[in-house]
Amino acid sequence: MPAMRRARTHRLPVVRALAAALLSAAPLAAAGSPAVAADSVELPVVRATLAPDDPCAKASPRTARSEPWTVRALGLSRAALISQGAGVTVAVVDTGVGTGIPGLSGRVSALGGAGEDCVGHGSFAAGLIAAARIDGVGPVGVAPGARILAVRGTDGRGVATAALLADGIRAAADGGARVIYVGSALATGKSVLTSAVAHATERDALVVAPAAPDALPVDRSAPGGVARAEPWYWPAAVPGVLSVSDYGPGGARPANAPVVSGVDLAAPGDAVVSVGPKGPGHFLGSGASLAAAHVAGAAALVRAQHPDMTAAQVSRQLTVAAYPASPPRLDPYAAMTAVLTGARGTVPRPAPARVITRPSTAPRDRALIIAGVGGGLVLLTAAAAVVIPRGKARGWRPAGE
């Protein structure tokens, strides 16, 4: 069983403190003027679920005035020169997506009641996928030309079940989405979610999901007060689903993040900035679910750039072209430009040796004949050298006369 790590259920104080430093560290340059450091801004934190008596999320009164760290980490400026995901629909199976978000204006459609987002998590994820910059500042989605299809995958308070997620995945695939982002990771639901992913695969839709929950549930009886991480979560563990984990601005995973096996890709997911369910203000968030949103946006870029690729080929393109690490780290530009061969290389094989079972005797016979003839000539010459002088001296008379 893979190593597991305990996690706190809340990372918000750390995230909030880190945000101000991050947002002031990478200021945007105004057109035609030198870069000026923006004032640091403390943003409200997006939540994944709401308690029964919590009010719905309100519009954020604050706006990020600097470029978030994720823009440079993912090379979004360079990737945008090739594709912005136009023509591709990404389904967001989550808490809903507000239809009045300025950064997504005119590019959000919703199934059922998913056009309202009381929690704000689905809207935040949609912004990471496809939001456009407003007035040249603040966050930008990975694929700001893509369309968003909002699909409800939770109840009105953000609580997901396997049945709700499965219905959302099926509805997203039937609604024409080519990429399906799922914002939840469940410890149960293998059968129903496997069936839903198969339905999406049949319609050539790529499902992207977080490898683990953003935070582990409270368990007062467990050491530390939180439940142990499971070895895997659904639907990320279903074959064919692109499973994603998160990392922060320093390159490492948060110390309290759940650890699971079988992760396909890693993407920015800690202290990231995006939009809220309404208005132009921004929120801050952390978790593997937000890293998965970045990967879903990158999948939209690849599908727009290579429309003939199947969902499986897009998944391979994203993982093989990623920055080499463990797990590989998302690189949208490389995913769009890398040329991957489908054929496997072959190992060179030497030509088989030719073994002659009975070597020819002709060379040996020739050598023996030549040697015999040569030897005979030598003997004949030696005999002649002895006989001829004696014969001449005797007048060629026979011996004894």
mmCIF file of all heavy atoms in Angstrom, residues 119-153:
data_model
loop_
_atom_site.group_PDB
_atom_site.id
_atom_site.type_symbol
_atom_site.label_atom_id
_atom_site.label_comp_id
_atom_site.label_asym_id
_atom_site.label_seq_id
_atom_site.Cartn_x
_atom_site.Cartn_y
_atom_site.Cartn_z
ATOM 1 N N VAL A 119 -22.128 28.029 -3.919
ATOM 2 C CA VAL A 119 -20.873 27.752 -3.218
ATOM 3 C C VAL A 119 -19.717 28.573 -3.786
ATOM 4 O O VAL A 119 -18.907 29.127 -3.054
ATOM 5 C CB VAL A 119 -20.543 26.246 -3.293
ATOM 6 C CG1 VAL A 119 -19.241 25.939 -2.560
ATOM 7 C CG2 VAL A 119 -21.685 25.419 -2.720
ATOM 8 N N GLY A 120 -19.606 28.609 -5.119
ATOM 9 C CA GLY A 120 -18.538 29.362 -5.770
ATOM 10 C C GLY A 120 -17.405 28.521 -6.310
ATOM 11 O O GLY A 120 -16.586 29.010 -7.102
ATOM 12 N N HIS A 121 -17.327 27.232 -5.929
ATOM 13 C CA HIS A 121 -16.199 26.405 -6.345
ATOM 14 C C HIS A 121 -16.217 26.125 -7.844
ATOM 15 O O HIS A 121 -15.178 26.178 -8.515
ATOM 16 C CB HIS A 121 -16.192 25.091 -5.564
ATOM 17 C CG HIS A 121 -14.948 24.271 -5.764
ATOM 18 N ND1 HIS A 121 -14.801 23.364 -6.785
ATOM 19 C CD2 HIS A 121 -13.779 24.238 -5.066
ATOM 20 C CE1 HIS A 121 -13.613 22.798 -6.717
ATOM 21 N NE2 HIS A 121 -12.963 23.307 -5.674
ATOM 22 N N GLY A 122 -17.389 25.818 -8.385
ATOM 23 C CA GLY A 122 -17.487 25.550 -9.820
ATOM 24 C C GLY A 122 -17.122 26.762 -10.661
ATOM 25 O O GLY A 122 -16.455 26.649 -11.693
ATOM 26 N N SER A 123 -17.551 27.941 -10.212
ATOM 27 C CA SER A 123 -17.210 29.173 -10.926
ATOM 28 C C SER A 123 -15.708 29.430 -10.882
ATOM 29 O O SER A 123 -15.100 29.843 -11.872
ATOM 30 C CB SER A 123 -17.957 30.358 -10.307
ATOM 31 O OG SER A 123 -19.359 30.192 -10.422
ATOM 32 N N PHE A 124 -15.116 29.184 -9.709
ATOM 33 C CA PHE A 124 -13.670 29.354 -9.550
ATOM 34 C C PHE A 124 -12.925 28.443 -10.526
ATOM 35 O O PHE A 124 -11.992 28.873 -11.213
ATOM 36 C CB PHE A 124 -13.289 29.038 -8.109
ATOM 37 C CG PHE A 124 -11.887 29.420 -7.726
ATOM 38 C CD1 PHE A 124 -11.631 30.594 -7.050
ATOM 39 C CD2 PHE A 124 -10.814 28.588 -8.023
ATOM 40 C CE1 PHE A 124 -10.333 30.941 -6.672
ATOM 41 C CE2 PHE A 124 -9.526 28.916 -7.661
ATOM 42 C CZ PHE A 124 -9.280 30.104 -6.981
ATOM 43 N N ALA A 125 -13.328 27.164 -10.589
ATOM 44 C CA ALA A 125 -12.688 26.210 -11.497
ATOM 45 C C ALA A 125 -12.881 26.617 -12.952
ATOM 46 O O ALA A 125 -11.958 26.529 -13.770
ATOM 47 C CB ALA A 125 -13.240 24.810 -11.255
ATOM 48 N N ALA A 126 -14.081 27.064 -13.289
ATOM 49 C CA ALA A 126 -14.342 27.501 -14.659
ATOM 50 C C ALA A 126 -13.438 28.664 -15.046
ATOM 51 O O ALA A 126 -12.980 28.768 -16.193
ATOM 52 C CB ALA A 126 -15.810 27.899 -14.807
ATOM 53 N N GLY A 127 -13.159 29.548 -14.081
ATOM 54 C CA GLY A 127 -12.257 30.653 -14.349
ATOM 55 C C GLY A 127 -10.846 30.180 -14.631
ATOM 56 O O GLY A 127 -10.166 30.705 -15.534
ATOM 57 N N LEU A 128 -10.362 29.190 -13.889
ATOM 58 C CA LEU A 128 -9.035 28.639 -14.145
ATOM 59 C C LEU A 128 -8.966 27.986 -15.518
ATOM 60 O O LEU A 128 -7.922 27.978 -16.171
ATOM 61 C CB LEU A 128 -8.666 27.615 -13.076
ATOM 62 C CG LEU A 128 -8.515 28.143 -11.649
ATOM 63 C CD1 LEU A 128 -8.207 26.990 -10.703
ATOM 64 C CD2 LEU A 128 -7.430 29.201 -11.567
ATOM 65 N N ILE A 129 -10.082 27.448 -15.955
ATOM 66 C CA ILE A 129 -10.124 26.790 -17.260
ATOM 67 C C ILE A 129 -10.172 27.798 -18.393
ATOM 68 O O ILE A 129 -9.403 27.692 -19.366
ATOM 69 C CB ILE A 129 -11.347 25.851 -17.341
ATOM 70 C CG1 ILE A 129 -11.206 24.699 -16.353
ATOM 71 C CG2 ILE A 129 -11.527 25.302 -18.763
ATOM 72 C CD1 ILE A 129 -12.470 23.879 -16.176
ATOM 73 N N ALA A 130 -11.040 28.814 -18.287
ATOM 74 C CA ALA A 130 -11.338 29.601 -19.490
ATOM 75 C C ALA A 130 -11.545 31.089 -19.286
ATOM 76 O O ALA A 130 -11.919 31.780 -20.247
ATOM 77 C CB ALA A 130 -12.590 29.012 -20.157
ATOM 78 N N ALA A 131 -11.317 31.649 -18.113
ATOM 79 C CA ALA A 131 -11.584 33.079 -17.922
ATOM 80 C C ALA A 131 -10.616 33.938 -18.736
ATOM 81 O O ALA A 131 -9.439 33.611 -18.887
ATOM 82 C CB ALA A 131 -11.479 33.439 -16.445
ATOM 83 N N ALA A 132 -11.141 35.044 -19.242
ATOM 84 C CA ALA A 132 -10.309 36.030 -19.937
ATOM 85 C C ALA A 132 -9.964 37.150 -18.970
ATOM 86 O O ALA A 132 -10.727 37.443 -18.049
ATOM 87 C CB ALA A 132 -11.056 36.587 -21.146
ATOM 88 N N ARG A 133 -8.819 37.780 -19.169
ATOM 89 C CA ARG A 133 -8.440 38.902 -18.315
ATOM 90 C C ARG A 133 -9.382 40.079 -18.554
ATOM 91 O O ARG A 133 -9.806 40.333 -19.674
ATOM 92 C CB ARG A 133 -7.013 39.339 -18.624
ATOM 93 C CG ARG A 133 -5.944 38.559 -17.881
ATOM 94 C CD ARG A 133 -4.677 39.371 -17.808
ATOM 95 N NE ARG A 133 -3.607 38.625 -17.142
ATOM 96 C CZ ARG A 133 -2.607 38.046 -17.788
ATOM 97 N NH1 ARG A 133 -2.542 38.118 -19.101
ATOM 98 N NH2 ARG A 133 -1.676 37.406 -17.129
ATOM 99 N N ILE A 134 -9.666 40.796 -17.492
ATOM 100 C CA ILE A 134 -10.461 42.022 -17.574
ATOM 101 C C ILE A 134 -9.530 43.204 -17.342
ATOM 102 O O ILE A 134 -8.828 43.258 -16.330
ATOM 103 C CB ILE A 134 -11.606 42.013 -16.536
ATOM 104 C CG1 ILE A 134 -12.504 40.783 -16.739
ATOM 105 C CG2 ILE A 134 -12.417 43.293 -16.624
ATOM 106 C CD1 ILE A 134 -13.186 40.723 -18.083
ATOM 107 N N ASP A 135 -9.518 44.126 -18.286
ATOM 108 C CA ASP A 135 -8.666 45.323 -18.190
ATOM 109 C C ASP A 135 -7.188 44.964 -18.078
ATOM 110 O O ASP A 135 -6.398 45.711 -17.502
ATOM 111 C CB ASP A 135 -9.080 46.204 -17.003
ATOM 112 C CG ASP A 135 -10.518 46.717 -17.139
ATOM 113 O OD1 ASP A 135 -10.936 46.927 -18.292
ATOM 114 O OD2 ASP A 135 -11.178 46.887 -16.112
ATOM 115 N N GLY A 136 -6.797 43.793 -18.587
ATOM 116 C CA GLY A 136 -5.382 43.437 -18.644
ATOM 117 C C GLY A 136 -4.738 43.054 -17.342
ATOM 118 O O GLY A 136 -3.515 42.932 -17.279
ATOM 119 N N VAL A 137 -5.510 42.860 -16.279
ATOM 120 C CA VAL A 137 -4.921 42.510 -14.993
ATOM 121 C C VAL A 137 -5.622 41.286 -14.421
ATOM 122 O O VAL A 137 -6.683 40.878 -14.886
ATOM 123 C CB VAL A 137 -5.029 43.675 -13.983
ATOM 124 C CG1 VAL A 137 -4.251 44.870 -14.465
ATOM 125 C CG2 VAL A 137 -6.480 44.034 -13.720
ATOM 126 N N GLY A 138 -4.985 40.727 -13.369
ATOM 127 C CA GLY A 138 -5.619 39.628 -12.665
ATOM 128 C C GLY A 138 -5.448 38.295 -13.365
ATOM 129 O O GLY A 138 -4.649 38.132 -14.273
ATOM 130 N N PRO A 139 -6.215 37.301 -12.928
ATOM 131 C CA PRO A 139 -6.037 35.938 -13.423
ATOM 132 C C PRO A 139 -6.554 35.748 -14.837
ATOM 133 O O PRO A 139 -7.378 36.504 -15.326
ATOM 134 C CB PRO A 139 -6.865 35.106 -12.432
ATOM 135 C CG PRO A 139 -7.936 36.042 -11.979
ATOM 136 C CD PRO A 139 -7.281 37.389 -11.919
ATOM 137 N N VAL A 140 -6.038 34.725 -15.481
ATOM 138 C CA VAL A 140 -6.485 34.348 -16.816
ATOM 139 C C VAL A 140 -6.565 32.829 -16.874
ATOM 140 O O VAL A 140 -5.726 32.136 -16.300
ATOM 141 C CB VAL A 140 -5.533 34.888 -17.906
ATOM 142 C CG1 VAL A 140 -4.123 34.345 -17.701
ATOM 143 C CG2 VAL A 140 -6.038 34.540 -19.301
ATOM 144 N N GLY A 141 -7.600 32.309 -17.549
ATOM 145 C CA GLY A 141 -7.735 30.870 -17.691
ATOM 146 C C GLY A 141 -6.743 30.316 -18.690
ATOM 147 O O GLY A 141 -6.188 31.045 -19.518
ATOM 148 N N VAL A 142 -6.526 29.014 -18.633
ATOM 149 C CA VAL A 142 -5.595 28.369 -19.560
ATOM 150 C C VAL A 142 -6.105 28.450 -20.989
ATOM 151 O O VAL A 142 -5.322 28.634 -21.921
ATOM 152 C CB VAL A 142 -5.384 26.898 -19.152
ATOM 153 C CG1 VAL A 142 -4.452 26.187 -20.121
ATOM 154 C CG2 VAL A 142 -4.835 26.812 -17.741
ATOM 155 N N ALA A 143 -7.415 28.347 -21.187
ATOM 156 C CA ALA A 143 -8.010 28.372 -22.525
ATOM 157 C C ALA A 143 -9.097 29.444 -22.576
ATOM 158 O O ALA A 143 -10.293 29.143 -22.547
ATOM 159 C CB ALA A 143 -8.605 27.006 -22.863
ATOM 160 N N PRO A 144 -8.711 30.718 -22.670
ATOM 161 C CA PRO A 144 -9.698 31.810 -22.590
ATOM 162 C C PRO A 144 -10.606 31.940 -23.803
ATOM 163 O O PRO A 144 -11.448 32.830 -23.832
ATOM 164 C CB PRO A 144 -8.813 33.058 -22.430
ATOM 165 C CG PRO A 144 -7.510 32.679 -23.043
ATOM 166 C CD PRO A 144 -7.331 31.225 -22.755
ATOM 167 N N GLY A 145 -10.458 31.050 -24.773
ATOM 168 C CA GLY A 145 -11.370 31.057 -25.913
ATOM 169 C C GLY A 145 -12.368 29.914 -25.873
ATOM 170 O O GLY A 145 -13.259 29.830 -26.731
ATOM 171 N N ALA A 146 -12.241 29.021 -24.899
ATOM 172 C CA ALA A 146 -13.133 27.860 -24.819
ATOM 173 C C ALA A 146 -14.484 28.247 -24.237
ATOM 174 O O ALA A 146 -14.640 29.268 -23.570
ATOM 175 C CB ALA A 146 -12.487 26.773 -23.957
ATOM 176 N N ARG A 147 -15.462 27.395 -24.482
ATOM 177 C CA ARG A 147 -16.790 27.568 -23.907
ATOM 178 C C ARG A 147 -16.937 26.657 -22.689
ATOM 179 O O ARG A 147 -16.309 25.606 -22.613
ATOM 180 C CB ARG A 147 -17.884 27.236 -24.932
ATOM 181 C CG ARG A 147 -17.928 28.196 -26.109
ATOM 182 C CD ARG A 147 -19.176 27.951 -26.944
ATOM 183 N NE ARG A 147 -20.392 28.142 -26.159
ATOM 184 C CZ ARG A 147 -20.975 29.324 -25.936
ATOM 185 N NH1 ARG A 147 -20.458 30.415 -26.474
ATOM 186 N NH2 ARG A 147 -22.070 29.409 -25.217
ATOM 187 N N ILE A 148 -17.779 27.082 -21.750
ATOM 188 C CA ILE A 148 -18.024 26.328 -20.522
ATOM 189 C C ILE A 148 -19.453 25.806 -20.513
ATOM 190 O O ILE A 148 -20.404 26.555 -20.759
ATOM 191 C CB ILE A 148 -17.791 27.204 -19.274
ATOM 192 C CG1 ILE A 148 -16.321 27.625 -19.172
ATOM 193 C CG2 ILE A 148 -18.229 26.468 -18.011
ATOM 194 C CD1 ILE A 148 -15.359 26.482 -18.933
ATOM 195 N N LEU A 149 -19.603 24.515 -20.230
ATOM 196 C CA LEU A 149 -20.919 23.906 -20.032
ATOM 197 C C LEU A 149 -21.032 23.556 -18.547
ATOM 198 O O LEU A 149 -20.342 22.661 -18.052
ATOM 199 C CB LEU A 149 -21.068 22.643 -20.884
ATOM 200 C CG LEU A 149 -22.367 21.852 -20.685
ATOM 201 C CD1 LEU A 149 -23.587 22.688 -21.085
ATOM 202 C CD2 LEU A 149 -22.336 20.547 -21.471
ATOM 203 N N ALA A 150 -21.870 24.293 -17.833
ATOM 204 C CA ALA A 150 -22.039 24.067 -16.394
ATOM 205 C C ALA A 150 -22.992 22.896 -16.173
ATOM 206 O O ALA A 150 -24.099 22.866 -16.721
ATOM 207 C CB ALA A 150 -22.584 25.321 -15.723
ATOM 208 N N VAL A 151 -22.542 21.928 -15.361
ATOM 209 C CA VAL A 151 -23.337 20.742 -15.047
ATOM 210 C C VAL A 151 -23.262 20.519 -13.539
ATOM 211 O O VAL A 151 -22.174 20.522 -12.960
ATOM 212 C CB VAL A 151 -22.806 19.495 -15.786
ATOM 213 C CG1 VAL A 151 -23.703 18.292 -15.493
ATOM 214 C CG2 VAL A 151 -22.700 19.749 -17.278
ATOM 215 N N ARG A 152 -24.397 20.320 -12.922
ATOM 216 C CA ARG A 152 -24.417 20.122 -11.473
ATOM 217 C C ARG A 152 -23.883 18.735 -11.125
ATOM 218 O O ARG A 152 -24.356 17.721 -11.634
ATOM 219 C CB ARG A 152 -25.838 20.262 -10.944
ATOM 220 C CG ARG A 152 -25.948 20.191 -9.442
ATOM 221 C CD ARG A 152 -25.573 21.513 -8.778
ATOM 222 N NE ARG A 152 -26.563 22.551 -9.049
ATOM 223 C CZ ARG A 152 -26.422 23.822 -8.701
ATOM 224 N NH1 ARG A 152 -25.311 24.208 -8.103
ATOM 225 N NH2 ARG A 152 -27.374 24.704 -8.968
ATOM 226 N N GLY A 153 -22.861 18.682 -10.249
ATOM 227 C CA GLY A 153 -22.321 17.416 -9.770
ATOM 228 C C GLY A 153 -22.401 17.286 -8.263
ATOM 229 O O GLY A 153 -21.892 16.316 -7.701
#
